[in-house]
């Protein structure tokens, strides 16, 4: 993070905050690799809270310079009119992802809005806040395509897809995730949006030991797969994704749809297309969803991969 890189960051933040977004958005996506020296830094607008995340430990002189820039930002008229009140710096490279409050006090819990829907997030407790902002268009797509459908949400995390599906008129959603705490937050998210919880189930199980439970809730009209790239002891994307794809034909209805997602920068969309062709040949690739413009990547086809497949289409 040399002086030129920090000047670039400062210009982007001043532009992005004038005016501040009405809903939660990424303000700066260094991990898109478009700005040299800032590849390991992101900045998110959390509606009053500005969250700066460092993914690699910087030199101490660079960290000091970044903090000076951020403290100077808080003194600008742009910050004052943005209605921002809290500035957090998260050290994602540390085992506990230490988050320090540079300005204001860290909220124990915070509510974000996306597409008119509300989601609870946490700061300073976990590596991730509870809502992946790059999946906004994926949630929009689910909301637009869920009406009247039975939905299976695998690796559900805090159930963002489930909230979108119920809001879009889904008949029923089954959420599965091995983290019961994440599912509990998902239940909170549904309540926050006034949803009927009789239309939602939450299975706190490890997927590969729970196929019977998953299958018993089907067949499903829409299956969403959004796994971590790596989860110690339970999921390795390059090895285990194909095991999930292999089960799709017995989970889907005759005209079912799959939204298969992946965010490993080392793998392209062809990993999913070829995997589905091999493991679930009755499915046909239909489209790759766009990523939000603020997540633009220097490499064509980079960033989040969210692909739609349909059963039996020609």
């Amino acid at each position: 993070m040399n002086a030129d890189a920090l000047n670039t960051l400062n210009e982007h933040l001043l532009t992005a905050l004038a005016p501040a977004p009405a809903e939660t958005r990424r303000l700066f996506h260094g991990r898109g690799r478009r700005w040299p020296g800032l590849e390991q830094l992101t900045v998110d607008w959390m509606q009053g809270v500005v969250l700066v995340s460092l993914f690699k430990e910087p030199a101490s002189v660079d960290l000091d310079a970044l903090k000076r820039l951020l403290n100077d930002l808080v003194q600008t008229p742009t910050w004052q009119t943005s209605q921002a009140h809290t500035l957090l710096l998260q050290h994602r490279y540390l085992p506990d992802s230490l988050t320090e409050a540079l300005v204001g006090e860290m909220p124990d819990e915070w509510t974000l809005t996306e597409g008119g829907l509300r989601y609870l997030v946490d700061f300073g407790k976990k590596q991730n806040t509870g809502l992946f902002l790059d999946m906004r268009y994926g949630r929009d797509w689910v909301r637009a395509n869920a009406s009247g459908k039975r939905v299976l949400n695998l690796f559900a995390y805090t159930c963002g897809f489930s909230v979108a599906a119920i809001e879009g008129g889904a008949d029923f959603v089954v959420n599965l995730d091995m983290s019961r705490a994440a599912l509990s937050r998902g239940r909170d998210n549904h309540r926050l949006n006034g949803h009927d919880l009789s239309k939602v189930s939450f299975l706190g199980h490890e997927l590969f030991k729970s196929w019977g439970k998953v299958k018993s809730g089907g067949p499903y009209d829409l299956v969403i797969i959004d796994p971590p790239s790596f989860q110690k002891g339970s999921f390795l994307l390059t090895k285990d994704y194909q095991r999930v794809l292999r089960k799709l034909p017995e989970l889907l209805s005759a005209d079912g749809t799959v939204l298969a997602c992946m965010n490993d920068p080392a793998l392209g969309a062809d990993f999913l297309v070829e995997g589905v062709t091999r493991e679930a040949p009755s499915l046909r690739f239909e489209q790759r969803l766009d990523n939000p413009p603020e997540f633009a990547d220097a490499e064509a086809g980079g960033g989040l991969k969210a692909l739609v497949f349909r059963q039996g289409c020609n």
Side-chain angles (χ1 to χ4, degrees):
M1 281 186 288
N2 58 31
D4 287 342
L6 290 175
N7 284 337
T8 297
L9 175 63
N10 188 55
E11 291 172 5
H12 273 271
L13 293 180
L14 288 172
T15 300
L17 289 171
E23 295 191 332
T24 188
R25 290 290 186 272
R26 176 142 297 179
L27 299 180
F28 183 80
H29 187 55
R31 289 172 71 79
R33 299 165 292 177
R34 294 186 295 157
W35 296 284
L38 298 168
E39 295 87 349
Q40 302 299 328
L41 184 145
T42 63
V43 184
D44 292 323
W45 171 253
M46 315 296 261
Q47 293 168 258
V49 177
V50 174
L51 174 64
V52 181
S53 298
L54 284 169
F55 289 78
K56 183 179 179 180
E57 184 173 10
S60 58
V61 64
D62 290 337
L63 180 59
D64 289 343
L66 174 63
K67 288 185 176 182
R68 284 197 299 273
L69 179 152
L70 295 173
N71 284 319
D72 289 344
L73 174 69
V74 172
Q75 305 305 317
T76 64
T78 299
W79 175 275
Q80 301 298 326
T81 59
S82 72
Q83 298 187 8
H85 49 74
T86 303
L87 176 61
L88 305 179
L89 179 60
Q90 183 185 35
H91 301 267
R92 285 281 296 261
Y93 53 87
L94 295 176
D96 60 355
S97 294
L98 172 71
T99 301
E100 53 181 319
L102 301 183
V103 173
E105 296 185 4
M106 194 178 319
D108 290 334
E109 191 174 84
W110 196 244
T111 302
L112 302 181
T113 305
E114 179 193 87
L117 296 174
R118 303 170 74 198
Y119 301 89
L120 287 169
V121 296
D122 298 300
F123 301 113
K125 298 178 182 178
K126 308 177 183 70
Q127 188 178 73
N128 299 305
T129 62
L131 188 71
F132 292 109
L133 304 189
D134 59 348
M135 192 56 83
R136 183 170 91 249
Y137 284 3
R139 287 185 286 269
D140 288 349
W141 182 90
V142 167
R143 184 174 178 176
N145 288 273
S147 181
K149 294 182 178 179
R150 290 187 65 83
V151 180
L152 173 61
N153 185 22
L154 298 176
F155 308 98
Y157 190 42
T158 57
C159 305
F161 280 122
S162 181
V163 169
I166 292 296
E167 189 70 19
D171 283 350
F172 195 79
V173 181
V174 175
N175 295 289
L176 185 140
D177 197 284
M178 65 185 298
S179 170
R180 294 178 184 270
L183 291 177
S184 178
R185 175 47 53 90
R187 191 178 283 107
D188 293 338
N189 284 333
H190 275 291
R191 290 194 182 107
L192 190 62
N193 289 283
H195 291 163
D196 180 358
L197 286 177
S198 69
K199 295 183 176 183
V200 190
S201 72
F202 305 89
L203 303 179
H205 303 292
E206 199 274 315
L207 175 59
F208 297 116
K209 298 177 181 177
S210 307
W211 285 119
K213 291 181 182 293
V214 171
K215 188 176 178 181
S216 67
Y220 301 96
D221 306 300
L222 172 60
V223 175
I224 302 163
I225 314 168
D226 185 22
S229 295
F230 174 74
Q231 196 167 54
K232 187 176 181 181
S234 64
F235 193 87
L236 176 61
L237 188 144
T238 53
K239 178 175 71 74
D240 293 322
Y241 213 128
Q242 63 186 354
R243 298 172 63 192
V244 181
L245 298 176
R246 199 173 298 149
K247 294 288 186 178
L248 290 176
E250 60 189 83
L251 296 175
L252 283 165
S253 60
D255 57 351
T257 304
V258 174
L259 177 62
C261 309
M262 180 182 69
N263 201 3
D264 188 328
L267 297 171
D270 57 338
F271 174 85
L272 289 176
V273 174
E274 293 169 3
V276 170
T277 300
R278 182 178 59 252
E279 305 295 346
S282 62
L283 290 165
R284 297 289 181 269
F285 172 65
E286 184 173 87
Q287 64 170 316
R288 176 179 174 177
L289 303 184
D290 290 336
N291 288 330
E294 65 268 28
F295 287 90
D297 196 280
E299 184 176 323
L304 172 69
K305 276 71 73 170
L307 277 60
V308 177
F309 299 86
R310 292 195 189 276
Q311 183 98 282
C313 64
N314 296 317

